[in-house]
Amino acid sequence: MFVTYKTKVMVDIDIYNILSELKLQEHNLGTSTGKEWKDSDSRIVSVSPVNGEKIATVSITSDKQYETVIASASKAFTKWRVIPAPQRGEVVRQFGEKLRLKKQALGTLVSYEMGKSLQEGLGEVQEMIDICDFAVGLSRQLHGLTMHSERSKHRMYEQYHPLGIVGIISAFNFPVAVWSWNTALAWVCGDVCVWKPSEKAPLCGVACQKIIAEVLEDNHLPEGISCMINGDASVGEWLTKDTRVPLISATGSTRMGKIVAQTVGVRLGKSLLELGGNNALIITPDADINMTVIGAVFGAVGTCGQRCTSTRRLIVHESKYDQVKEALQNAYQQLKIGNPLDESNHVGPLIDHDAVKNYLNAIDKVVQEGGNILVEGGVLEGDMYPGGCYVKPVIAEASPNFEIVQHETFAPILYLLKYKGSLENAIEIQNNVKQGLSSAIMTNNLREAELFLSANGSDCGIANVNIGTSGAEIGGAFGGEKDTGGGRESGSDAWKVYMRRQTNTINYGSDLPLAQGIRFDL
């Protein structure tokens, strides 16, 4: 049966009604060829980290069902790709309107199934709405270029065509937004999509698929434009090995991304990888401390430290170090930890008990390496913290050379690092990790800001000035370098990865001159 769970802390939300509004049953089918759903004997149990209770189960895709999904997507592509792009944009616009109507329900489900705060859950659905709006405009701007030919009476130009099936593998921490970043753009580009949501948040995926299926049915469109499969890594492996899927977009750990890249690369497919981050915020002598504290605290504890853009390292100039340390300690004392559906709380639970173990191991490791714990951690217990996944955010003084500091721990652990001398020293510390996703600097010094953004500055895909490392807008391309994978999603010209480029040359004369002046007389 469903869990009829009314939150007990300053809020009254009936999860059963939320699930009913999203048309989720206790026995959910996890394989979809569009509007048609298929069942199997194997199940994923969705457990809420909010209270440790089972929400529902979702069926796992079988190998035969996978073949049915790919066949449905392939068939849909032949029709979808020839529909004019602005008309495809209209379908995405309708999807965005459906999301507006379902925002409260879907945002609540995100919060309940994944554990992020309700405000962040609602914000994630707003990201979906925003990328739909972006994609609608993009549907009339899939521009190529015109070029001058070196040959008389010739014209050259380039255009973009759809790729085909886009396989999407998403992570638990953003169980709906990252899928929409890919699908909204892929759909207006003329692609069809097959999505494998995280097995840690499968209900969010089922809910989204049911919403888009309604839109496709209302418009009498092929159901295979949006398909879903569910399961563990072995199900995702079917996608990555499938030569019928020209592009794989994968979000997750660097370890997972390397496996995907190798598998897709062997068959010369394309991969879009958005992987781990070990993000740093540099605090210079000219920083505004009040802004610094707000940016650092949200970056470190938002989503309980489970964002790929979470702030993990704070690199502080020695002249500001004690002031920043004291301000952060005071701020952490004001944090409220608890039920994420209670909007007065700042921090919810980690996703599961494995995440809790990783959190505890990281704390032990930094102490073993000689670090000093400024704000103590630990697992919270009692009636206010059911399920065993609520933990205390931690601040630890550390050295940049500590092994644990070099790694990404998906938990609210912030390493406080000190730098001396010039900004170049801080930038060197920041860049001296394998990951390269997000970075930021707090300074009112124009020269420092420009240096940070220059070729000699941050080596990350995202570099911010006077804001934190997390909280990217959909208008900019999102992604990073090095072990972050090099992929770009969402805004700017990220749409080009979902299309194939074609160069065209047209001869409208009566002669056939060759390029480079080559003569070939018969």
Side-chain angles (χ1 to χ4, degrees), residues 126-152:
Q126 187 60 50
E127 278 193 56
M128 301 177 75
I129 295 167
D130 291 345
I131 197 64
C132 285
D133 289 348
F134 179 91
V136 172
L138 178 65
S139 68
R140 295 180 181 271
Q141 300 183 72
L142 301 173
H143 302 310
L145 297 173
T146 59
M147 295 151 283
H148 290 283
S149 173
E150 65 185 55
R151 290 168 284 185
S152 177

Side-chain angles (χ1 to χ4, degrees), residues 325-371:
K325 180 169 71 172
E326 181 180 1
L328 284 174
Q329 288 174 299
N330 291 335
Y332 269 52
Q333 291 176 6
Q334 301 174 47
L335 290 176
K336 296 179 181 179
I337 307 166
N339 189 331
L341 296 173
D342 178 353
E343 295 189 62
S344 68
N345 289 326
H346 302 101
V347 184
L350 289 171
I351 185 65
D352 56 22
H353 293 139
D354 286 340
V356 174
K357 290 178 184 178
N358 291 334
Y359 158 85
L360 294 173
N361 289 339
I363 296 172
D364 289 342
K365 182 67 174 177
V366 74
V367 172
Q368 291 170 10
E369 293 193 70

Side-chain angles (χ1 to χ4, degrees), residues 38 76 111 293 308 348 377 400 413:
K38 299 184 181 299
S111 178
V293 171
C308 52
I413 302 175

